[in-house]
């Protein structure tokens, strides 16, 4: 009878028929897993019993509309059962308050909007046909990558199923039909597709099916691009306007793809993303790639972080982008320790331009413009180009009388999305009659060069060139020409992109984030033929491959590599795969110099808050020697060490979890493959000791010796300093003590080092970041 009462109260948040109500808001409701499991055993599928009870009970609410009373039941949008427990519903304030009386109710948070964050990259990553990880005996076809994004263009050659064996029998997903999408659009490559838009439509308006699709079909291009980076077929002769020509391929081109569309023109709503995660885990994906994210917050109030933990608990590797808010510190997104958080960096390929000024100075830039080079033309900028704000080249700021037939100098910025905003400035210049555009980086954007498919002669230029050009403009009658060289190779690479978000994590600093970096600058991958390469409506060009930049592009690189590792090591946990990627990452570029940070002046070495453990190396990751494994209980104990309350722990664990009271827990003891040490800037003698356990996955008999690069002003002691293994899968533990050798440091200061275990060809490296903070900051 107790369950029946709870169920009757619960129907206030369940309804099958949507209604428009101005006082309603969509909420994500967390329920106690144990209570809901008990109800499920009595009544069956959770959504069915929500709807069944809703048939008999509704709540009446009076609304002033034409003087008539109107029934306004709550609207059930989704029931979450696998990666997260609860539901999404559109509720009035009164209905929300009634949830406090429901047995099993834990919390409700408002829905929120999340933002969406290749021919050469496989070779840059050391992946070659018939060699190493792409060698047939290891290259199985039963690994399934789930992509949660803006959908897919299923007819694209990257998703054909030539020569693929039948779909794995364990697959439980479906190919959902909808606008311009039928079950025949799926095949043995694209084995599942489903769209989630209940949350989007409850917050926005019904999707305009002349512009978008209420189906898995992609109208933005973003999802098609990311899916092909992770798992697209090998496609010869791929290019954009003849640039970047070569074999396009996903990181694991033999894997299956399952697409979950949760992102539309106005963004991705958390309720839809949660439904997608829940469905993907239930369907049986091995890896989830989500090139999206929202603002940082404590994990107990972050539904996506909670659902991701549920996915990892089920054995699914979950990869997220670090975000595109760099190069500022504390800007990293998706920082939960169970997430694989990926930064973005450059490759040694560029789409090169040369800008020659009238005074003889020459600068190198980047562009995907496919037309002719310009003659020497007059330059205009800021007040010589239009009214106030003309330096940003926003719509309506340029004067046709001033810019016609001239090259307009524009500052990059004004919160334009990194993937498409720059081409939009070119459109403004072209509509005003400009003959070309120089797009100048700010000092913060440093020396990164984003190549865009401009609709007029245009190029991006780094900060040092930009400052010289601004100075030259003051001389009067300044001129310039732009020469387009096309594709070039041999640049020092990788280098961390300025836009790539930086650590430490705003939520808590006890884990270094991001985890690794991967190619994310000027990435060529699949594209829908109905979407212009620039994303501009005035651009009528149709292409089948496009070049984008962002951590949205680096994330699926790592998702695909994780699938490769899963195919070789089927018994490895998500934490083991993550450990292998991190401990084998490298920190030197192709010129044997430290990886640079392109932000600010572009000449400084990057650090772990920019690239985590370093740049991924798929071949070395397949045989890392040692791994740091983490269980689900380890993650929960970590949250206990952050002083989460029982109520907060229940939200994350989705059930009652009691923190151990007979053990002293500290955040630094999470068995993470990196070391984040937080010292009190007010304390004179800081010290910390952390414990780690490594598992031997290399040679049965092996002896590893520790090698430490100490952070400046911090001594590091490891006990024992030798680990002797006698069989595979043997686990050995060690302790690391960190002692500050200086009296104090200012809050926010950080120093870096590394700890490596070395044996034969194996170097199992972990970065060290020591940060001084005020006590209230952590």
């Amino acid at each position: 009878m107790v369950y029946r009462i709870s169920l009757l109260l619960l129907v206030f948040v369940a309804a099958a028929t949507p209604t428009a109500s101005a006082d309603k808001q969509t909420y994500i409701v967390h329920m106690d897993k144990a209570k809901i499991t008990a109800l499920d055993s009595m009544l069956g599928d959770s959504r069915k019993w929500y709807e069944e009870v809703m048939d008999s009970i509704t709540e009446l609410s009076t609304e002033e509309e034409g003087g008539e009373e109107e029934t306004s039941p709550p609207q059930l949008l989704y029931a979450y059962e696998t990666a997260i427990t609860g539901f999404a519903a559109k509720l009035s304030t009164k209905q929300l308050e009634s949830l406090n009386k429901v047995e099993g109710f834990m919390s409700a948070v408002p829905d929120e909007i999340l933002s969406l964050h290749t021919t050469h990259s496989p070779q840059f990553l050391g992946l070659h046909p018939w060699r190493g990880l792409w060698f047939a005996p290891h290259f199985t076809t039963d690994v399934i990558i789930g992509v949660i994004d803006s959908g897919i263009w299923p007819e694209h050659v990257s998703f054909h199923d030539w020569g693929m064996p039948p779909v794995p029998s364990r697959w439980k997903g479906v190919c959902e039909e909808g606008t311009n999408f039928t079950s025949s659009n799926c095949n043995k490559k694209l084995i599942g597709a489903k769209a989630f838009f209940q949350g989007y439509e409850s917050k926005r308006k019904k999707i305009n099916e002349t512009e978008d699709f209420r189906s898995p079909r992609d109208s933005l291009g973003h999802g098609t691009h990311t899916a092909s980076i992770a798992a697209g077929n090998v496609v010869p002769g791929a290019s954009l306007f003849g640039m970047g020509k070569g074999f396009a391929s996903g990181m694991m081109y033999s894997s299956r793809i399952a697409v979950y569309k949760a992102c539309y023109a106005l963004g991705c709503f958390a309720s839809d993303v949660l439904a997608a995660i829940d469905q993907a885990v239930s369907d049986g994906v091995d890896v989830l790639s989500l090139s999206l994210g929202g603002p940082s917050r404590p994990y107990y109030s972050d539904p996506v972080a909670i659902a991701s933990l549920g996915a990892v608990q089920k054995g699914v590797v979950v990869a997220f982008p670090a975000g595109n808010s760099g190069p500022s510190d504390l800007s990293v997104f998706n920082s939960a320790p169970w997430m694989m958080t990926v930064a973005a960096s450059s490759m040694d390929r560029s789409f090169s331009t040369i800008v020659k000024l009238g005074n003889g100075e020459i600068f190198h830039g980047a562009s995907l413009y496919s037309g002719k080079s310009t003659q020497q033309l007059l330059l205009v900028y800021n007040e010589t180009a239009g009214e106030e704000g003309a330096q940003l080249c926003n719509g309506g700021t340029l004067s046709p009388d001033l810019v016609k037939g001239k090259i307009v100098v524009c500052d990059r910025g004004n919160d334009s999305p990194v993937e498409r905003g720059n081409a939009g400035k070119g459109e403004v210049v072209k509509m005003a009659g400009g003959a070309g555009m120089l797009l100048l980086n700010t000092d913060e954007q440093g020396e990164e060069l984003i190549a865009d498919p401009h609709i007029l002669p245009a190029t991006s230029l780094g900060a040092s060139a930009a400052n010289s050009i601004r100075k030259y403009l003051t001389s009067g009658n300044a001129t310039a020409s732009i020469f387009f060289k096309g594709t070039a190779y041999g640049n020092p690479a990788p280098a961390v992109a300025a836009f790539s978000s930086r650590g430490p994590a705003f939520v808590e600093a006890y884990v270094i984030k991001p985890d690794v970096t991967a190619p994310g600058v000027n990435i060529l991958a699949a594209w829908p033929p109905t979407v212009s390469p620039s994303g501009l409506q005035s651009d009528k060009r149709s292409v089948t491959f496009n070049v984008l930049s962002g951590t949205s592009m680096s994330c699926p690189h790592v998702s695909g590599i994780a699938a490769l590792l899963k195919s070789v090591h089927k018994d490895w946990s998500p934490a083991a795969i993550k450990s292998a990627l991190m401990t084998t990452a490298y920190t030197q570029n192709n010129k044997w110099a430290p990886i640079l940070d392109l932000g600010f002046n572009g000449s400084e070495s990057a650090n772990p808050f920019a690239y985590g453990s370093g740049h991924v190396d798929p071949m070395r990751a397949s045989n890392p020697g040692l791994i740091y494994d983490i269980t689900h209980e380890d993650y929960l104990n970590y949250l206990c060490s952050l002083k989460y309350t029982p109520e907060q722990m229940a939200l994350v664990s989705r059930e009652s979890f009691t923190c151990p009271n007979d053990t002293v827990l500290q955040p630094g003891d999470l068995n993470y493959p990196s070391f984040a040490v937080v010292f009190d800037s007010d304390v004179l003698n800081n010290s910390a000791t952390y414990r780690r356990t490594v598992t031997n996955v290399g040679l049965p008999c092996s002896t590893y010796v520790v090698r430490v690069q100490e952070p400046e002003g911090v001594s590091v002691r490891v006990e024992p300093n030798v680990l002797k293994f006698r069989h595979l899968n043997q686990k050995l533990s060690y302790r690391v003590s960190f002692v500050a050798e200086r009296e104090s440091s200012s809050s926010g200061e950080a120093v870096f080092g590394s700890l490596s275990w070395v044996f034969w060809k194996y170097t199992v490296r972990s970065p060290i970041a020591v940060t001084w903070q005020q006590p209230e900051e952590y």
Side-chain angles (χ1 to χ4, degrees), residues 682-697:
D682 290 339
V683 173
L684 296 180
N685 298 309
N686 280 288
S687 65
T689 300
Y690 294 163
R691 184 178 185 272
R692 291 290 188 273
T693 299
V694 287
T695 304
N696 181 24
V697 295

Side-chain angles (χ1 to χ4, degrees), residues 83 148 272-282 288 290 304 307-308 311 320:
I148 298 177
D272 296 327
V273 173
L274 293 182
I277 295 173
D278 202 58
Q279 187 66 58
V281 176
S282 177
L288 262 178
L290 300 95
V304 174
S308 299
F320 281 88

Side-chain angles (χ1 to χ4, degrees), residues 207 371 387 523 578 665 690:
I207 294 168
E387 59 186 49
I523 304 300
K578 182 177 181 178
L665 298 175
Y690 294 163

